[in-house]
Amino acid sequence: MDNSSGVGVIDKAAHVLDALEAGPTTLAQLVAATGLARPTVHRLALALVHHRLVSRDIQGRFVLGSRLVELASAAGEDRLIASAGPVLMQLRDATGESAQIFRRQGDWRVCVASAERPIGLRDTIPVGTQLSMKAGSAAQVLLAWEDHDRLLEGLQSARFTPTVLAGVRRRGWGQSLGEREPGVASVSAPVRGPSGRVIAAVSISGPIERLTRQPGRLHAEVVCNAARVLTEALRKTND
C-alpha cells in the first residue's frame, strides 16, 4: 500500500518518527529503518529535535520527544473533560471538598475541570487557572512518573523533595499541606491515558482544619477511585 501523502518532506519525517516507535535508535539504525540517505535522515532528525518531536537520550540516540506527549495529552483533553463532570461531582459530594482536574502545560499545571464545594470555606480554583508545578499534590502527581531528566528539572526550586515523589509513586497518590497556599491541604491521584502514561491529576483541596494534617488518610481511597474511573473512561474511548 502506498503511504505517500505527496508531500515528500512530511513523508520522510513520518518515516523517522515511525522508526523511533520501537525505542532509542542511532543515526545508522534510522538510516537502515527508513531507507533514506544518511544526510537526509540527519537533517530531518535534528529539525525534529528542534521542535521537540524528537529528543536525544544520554547515549546520544534519537528517541520520541516530549512534544508528542503534550500533543497526545491535548488530543485526549476533550475526552477527559467529557467524562469529568459526574466524577468530580461525586468526588466533591463524597469528600465535602472542592474537586479539580489538572493537566500539565509546560511549567504550569492548568485546571481543566472543577466542582466546587457549594457553601462554606473552600478552595476555589476556576477552570483555566494556572498554578505552579513546584508545589501542591497535583504537581507532585504530574511530575512523579516523568522521565529522569524532567524529574530532576522539575525538582529544582520545588517545595517537595525526591523522597516525597518516591512516596507518591509507591502509594499511587500525593498529599500536600500548605505547599501551594498557607492553610490549604490537598490530595491528588494520577489519571492515565490509554498508553498508561500519566496525563492528568484529579484532586480535592480545602482548609487543613477540615482535611487534617493527614488528608491522604481520610480521602486517598476515594480520590484514587475517581482517578481510576477517569482512566477507564479514557481507555474505553480509545477502543
Side-chain angles (χ1 to χ4, degrees):
M1 186 176 69
D2 184 8
N3 289 323
S4 173
S5 69
V7 182
V9 68
I10 298 296
D11 291 339
K12 291 172 184 175
H15 287 325
V16 171
L17 294 173
D18 288 345
L20 294 177
E21 188 176 359
T25 308
T26 65
L27 179 60
Q29 289 169 332
L30 273 182
V31 170
T34 62
L36 299 172
R38 185 184 180 94
T40 300
V41 173
H42 190 241
R43 186 173 66 252
L44 284 171
L46 292 181
L48 291 167
V49 167
H50 176 78
H51 289 288
R52 295 195 298 121
L53 295 166
V54 169
S55 185
R56 307 289 284 271
D57 69 7
I58 196 168
Q59 295 174 302
R61 296 174 300 180
F62 293 100
V63 295
L64 292 174
S66 59
R67 182 63 182 145
L68 291 173
V69 176
E70 294 166 4
L71 291 170
S73 295
E77 183 176 325
D78 286 345
R79 297 192 296 275
L80 178 64
I81 293 171
S83 305
V87 176
L88 288 184
M89 286 189 285
Q90 289 172 7
L91 183 57
R92 177 198 63 192
D93 295 345
T95 62
E97 303 297 343
S98 298
Q100 311 90 25
I101 294 176
F102 293 95
R103 267 203 339 110
R104 183 172 185 174
Q105 290 184 2
D107 294 330
W108 301 94
R109 54 183 171 102
V110 179
C111 179
V112 297
S114 68
E116 290 187 6
R117 176 186 167 98
I119 58 172
L121 186 62
R122 58 190 182 271
D123 185 32
T124 300
I125 304 176
V127 171
T129 300
Q130 287 187 322
L131 297 176
S132 172
M133 277 293 295
K134 302 296 184 181
S137 64
Q140 295 171 17
V141 164
L142 290 170
L143 185 61
W145 285 273
E146 286 282 15
D147 63 50
H148 182 68
D149 289 344
R150 294 192 82 183
L151 194 66
L152 291 180
E153 182 183 340
L155 281 165
Q156 294 176 13
S157 303
R159 297 286 302 277
F160 43 79
T161 65
T163 301
V164 168
L165 295 189
V168 171
R169 290 191 296 274
R170 185 179 66 254
R171 296 188 309 262
W173 53 269
Q175 65 179 1
S176 67
L177 297 168
E179 268 186 19
R180 173 176 60 83
E181 188 176 333
V184 174
S186 67
V187 181
S188 299
V191 179
R192 297 180 182 274
S195 70
R197 187 178 180 87
V198 174
I199 64 166
V202 61
S203 306
I204 60 163
S205 58
I208 292 176
E209 287 79 1
R210 276 202 309 266
L211 273 75
T212 76
R213 299 198 68 80
Q214 292 184 311
R217 177 174 292 181
L218 286 179
H219 298 305
E221 183 176 358
V222 69
V223 174
C224 287
N225 284 340
R228 281 193 287 270
V229 170
L230 288 167
T231 295
E232 185 61 30
L234 292 176
R235 187 175 293 125
K236 286 178 179 176
T237 58
N238 198 59
D239 290 342

